[in-house]
Amino acid sequence: MTEEILIAGFGGQGVLSMGKIMAYSAMMQDMEVSWMPSYGPEMRGGTANVIVIISDERISSPIIRHFDTGILLNQQSLDKFEDSIKPGGVLVYDGNGINRHPVRKDISIFRIDAAEEAGRMKSPKVNNMIVLGGFMKIKPIITLENVIKGLKKSLPERYHNLIPVNETALQRGMEIIREV
Amino acid sequence: MEKELRLMKGNEAVAEAAIRAGADGYFGYPITPQSEVLEYLMEAKPHERTGMVVLQAESEVAAINMVYGGAACGKRVMTSSSSPGISLKQEGISYIAGAELPCLVVNVVRGGPGLGTIQPSQSDYFQATKGGGHGDYHLIVLAPSSVQEMADFVDLAFELAFKYRNPVMMLSDGAIGQMMEKVWLSPQKERSKTVPEWATTGKPPTRERVIITSLDLDPMAQERFNQKLIAKYNEIREKEVRYEEFQCEDAEYLFVAYGTSARVCQKSIQLARAQGIKAGLLRPVTLFPFPVNRLNELADKVKMMISVEMSAGQMVEDVMLASNGKVPVYHYGRMGGMVPEPEEVTDFLKSKI
């Protein structure tokens, strides 16, 4: 099993940390992982993206062009990376602020209105956890238990009081993701 | 003590591995894409853990000369930087090589020349393997291609540096420095308490003064010293070649690549083999000494070699020398901070068959 994932969106949307939690959780499950961010001027505002590869074999190139799953969280990323998803692959997008929706017919397209849901939860920062919950629903590779462990490991202790709201967000994500 | 599993960036792995290897000192100056080495060390407070000194110098030149001083006292010392910063350090590196002192210099390479870009590159191959500073000298050059190797090679580098009294360079790149992978960290080693007999630590009445210098006013004596260095480099060539082979057993087409490019080539091999093209990879782990003999042997078995580098074509010259005209040798490269994608490498191979 090898899952090659691209996550892209605005800087500040939690793209890199979502990838990190995925990688950490997969590592807890004894899998090989790589997390390759774009670290250029993008991370100083504008777009951010990260390639996460999870595999039960040694990972070859951490930098790849085609993905099993694309999690594309703004219009710019959707326009740029829709064509990078392998035929038969999965695209997850947030409908918030999207004018041009994905059009491919040879992939499965899922919509998750995470920004809207995060607003409803009055907790905009859990946006990425809602998306991650949605991903876990359609690609059950990493488990909720390990994601919570990952959160505990990657959040400084003073933020550990936020873990329950993150867990709620993951569960909301699993509920609201829908195929289009 | 057991090894510890962590998810880390390559830069962080170097820093943690340095503490665990029992390093005595790190002297550095921040530059993207390797600033996490210094940042991690500052945060990890190694002085409280092992007594290791971590110091942000006022410049790269100051940092390398602090390394020179620490090494002259027989300490396990290191610095890290990225391409433009490594250029600034070259005078000091030449002096350290000329004084036959051990140290570790980590170069997390970015696009050049000049200030270039902050993205990954391998365009410092010539600088690392052919000298870099002035004078006839070589560094031992290790090329990690994973976060695990970024950690493992710190200890190896110190071992080789002290064995041969020679500076060692770890030639990495921005991708491996910035990427996170899982890494098994070795248990903490104690800092060495033994002082090498060549170290300048003050003259006791029981022995003559020890002198560390790279200066000789007598050309005949300097030539004898040069010959001694050559003998050392030849011994290193004989004993310290390291490389890894992927699917070379039946390969008809051989990629030669190190670092990030070697990772890309492994995927290119999968793509090529899925189309019935028997490709393989030789990954030099040491760039100096270069795996000359093994490449020469493989040149009798394969139809073609392709050096894949994030440069305008540097290692390809060593591949040509090693294969000695037995097979066609091509270069495929991306520059300026661009990383080749596996598909384009496979396409290049197909275009040459």
Side-chain angles (χ1 to χ4, degrees), chain B residues 13 19 37 72 95 109 136 169 226 238 258 281 314 319 342 348:
Chain B
I19 303 171
V37 180
Y95 278 51
V109 181
D136 272 321
M169 176 168 281
N226 288 132
E238 198 182 307
Y258 66 96
L281 167 71
Q314 300 191 13
V319 178
F348 180 82

Side-chain angles (χ1 to χ4, degrees), chain B residues 14-293:
Chain B
V14 163
E16 180 61 32
I19 303 171
R20 289 176 184 236
D24 295 304
Y26 170 94
F27 309 94
Y29 189 80
I31 180 172
T32 306
Q34 66 79 54
S35 295
E36 291 86 357
V37 180
L38 180 55
E39 287 166 8
Y40 184 98
L41 284 169
M42 286 293 178
E43 205 172 327
K45 296 194 175 70
H47 196 261
E48 291 172 13
R49 278 167 62 182
T50 65
M52 176 186 176
V53 171
V54 177
L55 195 141
Q56 178 174 335
E58 68 269 34
S59 70
E60 285 86 351
V61 176
I64 193 67
N65 282 293
M66 289 172 185
V67 168
Y68 189 6
C73 299
K75 299 293 184 187
R76 292 174 152 237
V77 287
M78 64 181 288
T79 185
S80 67
S81 191
S82 178
S83 309
I86 294 290
S87 290
L88 288 166
K89 291 181 199 286
Q90 288 301 338
E91 182 198 42
I93 294 172
S94 170
Y95 278 51
I96 293 168
E100 290 203 272
L101 291 175
C103 71
L104 168 59
V105 179
V106 179
N107 184 0
V108 183
V109 181
R110 62 189 237 181
L115 274 179
T117 55
I118 59 172
Q119 278 78 15
S121 180
Q122 297 179 316
S123 49
D124 298 355
Y125 178 90
F126 281 152
Q127 186 196 49
T129 60
K130 310 291 175 190
H134 59 279
D136 272 321
Y137 76 91
H138 280 292
L139 307 174
I140 297 171
V141 184
L142 303 173
S145 81
S146 63
V147 174
Q148 183 68 54
E149 286 187 338
M150 287 287 269
D152 293 346
F153 287 0
V154 172
D155 208 32
L156 175 63
F158 279 126
E159 184 193 315
L160 294 172
F162 274 80
K163 183 174 174 189
Y164 294 101
R165 280 187 64 182
N166 204 71
V168 175
M169 176 168 281
M170 200 195 294
L171 192 70
S172 183
D173 63 63
I176 298 165
Q178 292 296 323
M179 162 171 76
M180 277 204 268
E181 289 185 309
K182 66 185 198 184
V183 50
W184 289 98
L185 294 164
S186 297
Q188 180 67 52
K189 266 193 191 174
E190 268 195 61
R191 285 172 53 223
S192 171
K193 290 189 184 73
T194 56
V195 181
E197 75 283 358
W198 47 260
T200 49
T201 52
K203 181 193 173 301
T206 49
R207 63 157 164 79
E208 281 304 299
R209 276 192 306 169
V210 169
I211 299 171
I212 298 272
T213 180
S214 68
L215 173 73
D216 210 318
L217 293 174
D218 174 1
M220 278 171 65
Q222 180 66 24
E223 190 182 50
R224 279 197 298 279
F225 176 71
N226 288 132
Q227 277 158 349
K228 182 183 164 210
L229 286 183
I230 289 171
K232 174 165 84 174
Y233 301 144
N234 284 339
E235 187 186 347
I236 292 170
R237 283 186 177 101
E238 198 182 307
K239 293 182 181 165
E240 304 300 344
V241 172
R242 288 167 170 80
Y243 57 85
E244 192 181 8
E245 292 181 15
F246 292 90
Q247 303 192 267
C248 284
E249 305 77 28
D250 63 342
E252 294 178 352
Y253 305 97
L254 187 72
F255 292 121
V256 186
Y258 66 96
T260 293
S261 296
R263 298 284 294 266
V264 172
C265 284
Q266 287 167 44
K267 184 96 180 174
S268 307
I269 290 168
Q270 288 171 19
L271 298 171
R273 285 190 175 252
Q275 299 168 53
I277 301 166
K278 287 179 180 169
L281 167 71
L282 183 124
R283 174 174 80 91
V285 170
T286 50
L287 298 176
F288 183 89
F290 195 68
V292 175
N293 294 341

Side-chain angles (χ1 to χ4, degrees), chain A residues 59-124:
Chain A
I59 292 166
S60 58
S61 179
I63 296 167
I64 45 176
R65 192 194 289 177
H66 300 294
F67 307 94
D68 299 305
T69 300
I71 301 175
L72 309 177
L73 300 178
N74 63 8
Q75 186 73 63
Q76 220 176 334
S77 308
L78 199 54
D79 293 346
K80 192 170 170 190
F81 296 117
E82 182 178 351
D83 288 341
S84 306
I85 296 166
K86 294 178 197 171
V90 165
L91 188 161
V92 177
Y93 80 108
D94 188 331
N96 183 44
I98 298 297
N99 304 316
R100 196 201 66 80
H101 291 259
V103 293
R104 286 203 27 207
K105 300 284 174 220
D106 60 339
I107 56 174
S108 308
I109 298 171
F110 293 85
R111 176 168 168 168
I112 183 162
D113 289 333
E116 194 183 294
E117 186 64 25
R120 209 172 291 139
M121 291 174 70
K122 299 195 178 16
S123 187

